[in-house]
Amino acid sequence: MTNPLLTDWDTPFGIAPFDAISDEDFAPALEAALAEHEAEIAAIAAQTGPADFDSVIGALEAAGERLDKVLSVFFTVAGADSNDKRQQLQRDFSPRLARHFAAVTANKALYARIEAVWETREGLNLDEEQARVLMLTRRNFLRAGAALEGEADVRMTEIKARLAELGTAFTQNLLADERDWVMELCESDLDGLPGFVVEAARAAGREKGKDGPVITLSRSLIVPFLQFSPRRDLRERAFRAWAARGANGGETDNCAIAAEILALREERAKLLGYGNFAQYKLETEMAKTPEAVRGLLMAVWEPAKARAEADAAVLEDMMHADGVNGRLEPWDWRYYAERRRRAEHDFDEAEVKPYLSLDAMIAAAFACANRLFGLEFKPLDVPLYHPDCRAWEVTREGRHVAVFIGDYFARGSKRSGAWCSAMRGQAKFPREQAPVVINVCNFSKGEPALLSYDDARTLFHEFGHALHQMLSDVTYESVSGTSVARDFVELPSQLYEHWLEVPQVLREFARHVETGEAMPQALLDKVLAAANFDQGFQTVEYVASAMVDLEFHDGAAPGDVMARQAEVLDRLGMPDAIVMRHASPQFAHVFSGDGYSSGYYSYMWSEVMDADAFAAFEEAGDAFDPALARALEAHILSKGGSVDAGELYQRFRGRLPGVEALLKGRGLIAAE
């Protein structure tokens, strides 16, 4: 029987035929695709003619098409709809893939061909993008260890394979802890909870096969429970389980895995001649050095900590007034902060959520993209990997631009968080191809599904990443879409969040799910006025995580990650009632792969730019200013990684920004 993963996909827009693919197809398809890619690489390395861009770099860009197809399908379902079989396949595939790609970059004959192109580049008449692709290809090979010899070369391959195994184990352990823990609630436990939390808890109970409501470790459920439940004992129980993910002892404990990952990263960096992993990792980012990252984080830390400590005193007084003695604890913060927000801003999230239905916020994100960039979205009826998914064709002036897939609801088979990925990236070589982009979120189900304001921001954030993929207009896929410096990749996503706060957008799309009435102006004013509420807490929990990540990698790898984490937090003076947004054993950004290792700071680095970039629209007096929208697309969204990130930003804004716009945007210093 023909393996559908290895055939040409005669489907609308070349979308993967999910209805024809079974788990049994993945292993044989991967083996066949790897063999094909190995043959392609061998053929490029074996060439004997003059080394030029097309025969070496262009050939590398064209190689591995079938492998990309197989992996795009597998990793999509492995992350968003996992099962025991897929988890086992992932454990099997990870070291196999690591060895395969390590063999590519360790191929001395291939590296020699790349070096030959590099040495003759001045006479090759390369355009700007080709010159950039050549530089990046050579740099990637060097940083992967292509110039290593002998034992160092062998050891590098071993390290990469082991890191792949450990990253997979870390992710699956975290998923297991999140999937397996539930706190069943009786009817009296629901007292004081708003209707949307009760409905989400009942839906979670049905999803878990329970007879009644439950609280799970899905952020979209546990956070509102911590915000609204008056039961301090239940809040403590739920919070402790949430904070202990990955650190419960036994088979799913991630502490030893994290320590081994850090040790291997340090060894990898030193094999390549760097003092530590942070120096290696940051060399290719906008920040360039650990010192630059630390400078940014500490510039934000001090005002954020001062705000958080002042807020903690207020919340603790509120708690004491309730007759609860002792100090404010982490499971108390969100509950009393929500009560304070309601008192000071007359803001009740339960009153707001009926105006923020999932469908309305999707429509709002689409409408903003239409006004800014002329994109139009038409629903597609195609088989997808889960019934929760939906798809749209994206067009502009009648021309196909992309396929967009949304997978919005939490479920036990999906890892936590929210992300954007491209099953196929935009490219014009070796043939024209339009992107297929997926946004994955973890919102609570409901009839209808209602979002918190933070959920709506998440939806806009991930759609900003999707726009970066969809509006890409480059020749080579290796530099298309979000293939940019890690501390630049969050700029489009965080910038797009600002359009949710545009009053005219909320007036048009924030309509009551039952009556269709627009959000009253008074409530809209409260929503916007409360947008920066509790920024001391939010900034402290984030910066603490980013500092721990940096200190893990800027120096000798710690043998005990929890002791090192405690040491860093103690030096920072971490407020007692706030914990890291992601404690080390659950810090998937850092330990499930190398993507955000030494790079969790990048959200804040990008926020410095997104605050400044949206200020350009504010200065123009129009959030949909046509000239600025065209410039944003031309200089940032369409360029991918084809030009240096700093150069792209300066082309758009004329300069690089300072941290002041970020501090003002978060309300941590007064606006002028």
Side-chain angles (χ1 to χ4, degrees):
M1 187 173 180
T2 303
N3 190 319
L5 288 164
L6 300 176
T7 63
D8 292 333
W9 294 341
D10 184 18
T11 57
F13 310 108
I15 299 172
F18 287 106
D19 57 340
I21 297 169
S22 71
D23 288 345
E24 284 65 38
D25 294 322
F26 286 119
L30 179 68
E31 290 303 322
L34 285 173
E36 182 178 289
H37 190 227
E38 288 169 359
E40 291 170 333
I41 294 300
I44 299 168
Q47 294 172 345
T48 57
D52 57 24
F53 184 91
D54 289 340
S55 65
V56 181
I57 308 302
L60 283 172
E61 289 284 325
E65 180 180 359
R66 196 182 305 274
L67 181 59
D68 289 343
K69 288 173 65 175
V70 173
L71 294 181
S72 71
V73 176
F74 176 73
F75 284 114
T76 293
V77 299
D81 192 26
S82 189
N83 57 34
D84 290 343
K85 176 68 172 177
R86 290 168 188 173
Q87 289 191 16
Q88 183 59 53
L89 287 169
Q90 197 167 6
R91 290 191 291 270
D92 295 340
F93 287 178
S94 293
R96 177 78 173 87
L97 288 167
R99 287 192 296 271
H100 171 78
F101 289 112
V104 173
T105 52
N107 187 313
K108 303 306 180 187
L110 178 59
Y111 175 59
R113 298 286 293 177
I114 294 169
E115 278 294 296
V117 180
W118 178 254
E119 292 298 327
T120 60
R121 64 191 182 281
E122 298 299 334
L124 296 178
N125 196 30
L126 303 179
D127 62 28
E128 181 181 50
E129 183 177 335
Q130 288 175 320
R132 175 79 173 168
V133 170
L134 170 59
M135 183 279 291
L136 291 173
T137 301
R138 177 178 181 267
R139 188 177 75 181
N140 290 343
F141 269 71
L142 284 170
R143 288 170 57 80
L148 295 178
E149 301 286 350
E151 291 182 7
D153 191 18
V154 173
R155 181 57 183 155
M156 180 63 78
T157 299
E158 293 172 348
I159 289 172
K160 290 177 183 177
R162 181 58 178 160
L163 283 171
E165 292 176 356
L166 293 170
T168 297
F170 188 98
T171 302
Q172 294 188 354
N173 288 346
L174 183 57
L175 176 62
D177 279 1
E178 292 172 345
R179 180 190 62 225
D180 295 343
W181 187 89
V182 295
M183 182 172 71
E184 297 186 47
L185 303 178
C186 63
E187 290 303 311
S188 63
D189 296 334
L190 302 175
D191 292 346
L193 295 176
F196 73 88
V197 180
V198 173
E199 184 178 349
R202 293 193 191 283
R206 290 191 294 271
E207 198 264 335
K208 293 293 185 183
K210 304 294 185 181
D211 292 333
V214 304
I215 299 301
T216 70
L217 298 182
S218 169
R219 179 177 288 269
S220 62
L221 179 53
I222 195 169
V223 167
F225 180 78
L226 293 170
Q227 282 179 286
F228 293 104
S229 176
R231 289 280 302 277
R232 193 176 192 230
D233 59 330
L234 296 181
R235 294 200 312 266
E236 179 178 0
R237 182 180 166 196
F239 182 88
R240 287 189 181 279
W242 194 34
R245 291 169 297 154
N248 287 302
E251 293 182 355
T252 62
D253 195 280
N254 275 334
C255 293
I257 291 175
E260 186 178 354
I261 287 172
L262 293 173
L264 290 171
R265 286 177 179 164
E266 181 186 13
E267 183 181 359
R268 177 183 178 183
K270 289 186 173 179
L271 283 173
L272 295 169
Y274 296 87
N276 58 55
F277 186 81
Q279 293 174 9
Y280 160 77
K281 186 65 183 296
L282 294 171
E283 179 185 50
T284 61
E285 309 299 336
M286 291 184 71
K288 301 301 181 189
T289 67
E291 292 72 26
V293 173
R294 192 173 289 107
L296 168 68
L297 294 176
M298 293 309 297
V300 177
W301 174 258
E302 293 303 334
K305 179 186 172 188
R307 173 65 59 81
E309 288 174 336
D311 290 342
V314 174
L315 301 183
E316 190 165 275
D317 286 345
M318 293 173 63
M319 186 179 77
H320 291 166
D322 279 351
V324 180
N325 297 320
R327 67 182 189 180
L328 187 76
E329 298 287 357
W331 48 87
D332 298 316
W333 190 293
R334 287 176 173 85
Y335 176 70
Y336 285 100
E338 180 62 30
R339 282 178 49 180
R340 182 186 181 192
R341 179 168 68 164
R342 196 177 311 175
E344 294 185 0
H345 294 278
D346 192 22
F347 183 96
D348 184 353
E349 191 167 288
E351 182 184 3
V352 173
K353 287 193 77 161
Y355 293 94
L356 301 178
S357 73
L358 173 61
D359 287 346
M361 291 302 98
I362 293 171
F366 287 177
C368 290
N370 177 261
R371 290 191 63 181
L372 288 164
F373 310 115
L375 299 179
E376 297 181 333
F377 300 82
K378 177 183 177 182
L380 277 177
D381 184 13
V382 293
L384 298 169
Y385 60 86
H386 192 278
D388 285 346
C389 297
R390 47 181 128 168
W392 294 265
E393 181 191 6
V394 186
T395 61
R396 180 156 57 182
E397 297 179 345
R399 181 181 64 84
H400 178 76
V401 172
V403 169
F404 175 66
I405 299 171
D407 179 2
Y408 294 109
F409 296 126
R411 53 180 174 267
S413 63
K414 182 190 291 186
R415 64 180 171 88
S416 61
W419 64 93
C420 174
S421 60
M423 292 195 67
R424 183 176 66 224
Q426 177 271 329
K428 300 174 185 175
F429 176 89
R431 67 186 61 82
E432 194 94 20
Q433 64 183 40
V436 176
V437 187
I438 304 180
N439 275 178
V440 183
C441 300
N442 270 281
F443 303 141
S444 294
K445 270 191 174 180
E447 295 296 337
L450 303 178
L451 305 185
S452 68
Y453 194 70
D454 283 345
D455 287 340
R457 288 177 69 96
T458 295
L459 186 147
F460 268 68
H461 178 101
E462 297 306 332
F463 194 71
H465 281 309
L467 287 172
H468 202 180
Q469 298 278 13
M470 291 189 285
L471 292 173
S472 179
D473 186 20
V474 299
T475 300
Y476 301 99
E477 189 174 0
S478 67
V479 292
S480 74
T482 57
S483 298
V484 299
R486 180 63 61 178
D487 48 13
F488 191 71
V489 76
E490 298 298 336
L491 169 60
S493 55
Q494 292 177 181
L495 176 59
Y496 204 65
E497 291 179 33
H498 289 274
W499 274 276
L500 175 62
E501 298 175 354
V502 173
Q504 66 196 85
V505 173
L506 287 172
R507 277 194 293 269
E508 181 177 357
F509 292 96
R511 294 185 171 273
H512 198 282
V513 73
E514 293 179 358
T515 67
E517 294 292 324
M519 182 182 289
Q521 185 63 45
L523 183 56
L524 175 60
D525 291 342
K526 293 175 194 175
V527 169
L528 296 177
N532 275 330
F533 182 76
D534 215 23
Q535 277 296 325
F537 170 87
Q538 294 181 37
T539 306
V540 161
E541 65 163 6
Y542 165 79
V543 174
S545 296
M547 281 297 294
V548 168
D549 167 41
L550 179 65
E551 299 302 339
F552 273 161
H553 296 96
D554 187 25
D560 184 334
V561 295
M562 300 308 290
R564 180 65 169 146
Q565 173 183 298
E567 176 189 327
V568 174
L569 296 180
D570 182 64
R571 191 174 72 244
L572 286 171
M574 185 77 169
D576 291 337
I578 306 178
V579 301
M580 293 167 61
R581 183 172 297 178
H582 306 288
S584 301
Q586 63 207 227
F587 210 163
H589 281 80
V590 172
F591 292 112
S592 64
D594 277 354
Y596 281 92
S597 55
S598 295
Y600 193 62
Y601 77 92
S602 60
Y603 289 94
M604 186 150 283
W605 190 276
S606 293
E607 189 177 342
V608 170
M609 290 182 287
D610 83 63
D612 180 68
F614 193 72
F617 287 88
E618 294 175 321
E619 292 160 9
D622 181 4
F624 296 96
D625 183 86
L628 281 172
R630 287 194 296 272
L632 179 62
E633 179 178 353
H635 298 308
I636 294 178
L637 297 177
S638 69
K639 292 297 185 183
S642 62
V643 179
D644 176 77
E647 174 63 24
L648 288 178
Y649 191 83
Q650 291 188 75
R651 289 181 187 180
F652 170 66
R653 197 68 166 106
R655 54 166 172 73
L656 291 174
V659 73
E660 292 78 13
L662 177 149
L663 293 172
K664 291 175 183 175
R666 286 186 171 231
L668 298 175
I669 61 173
E672 296 175 357

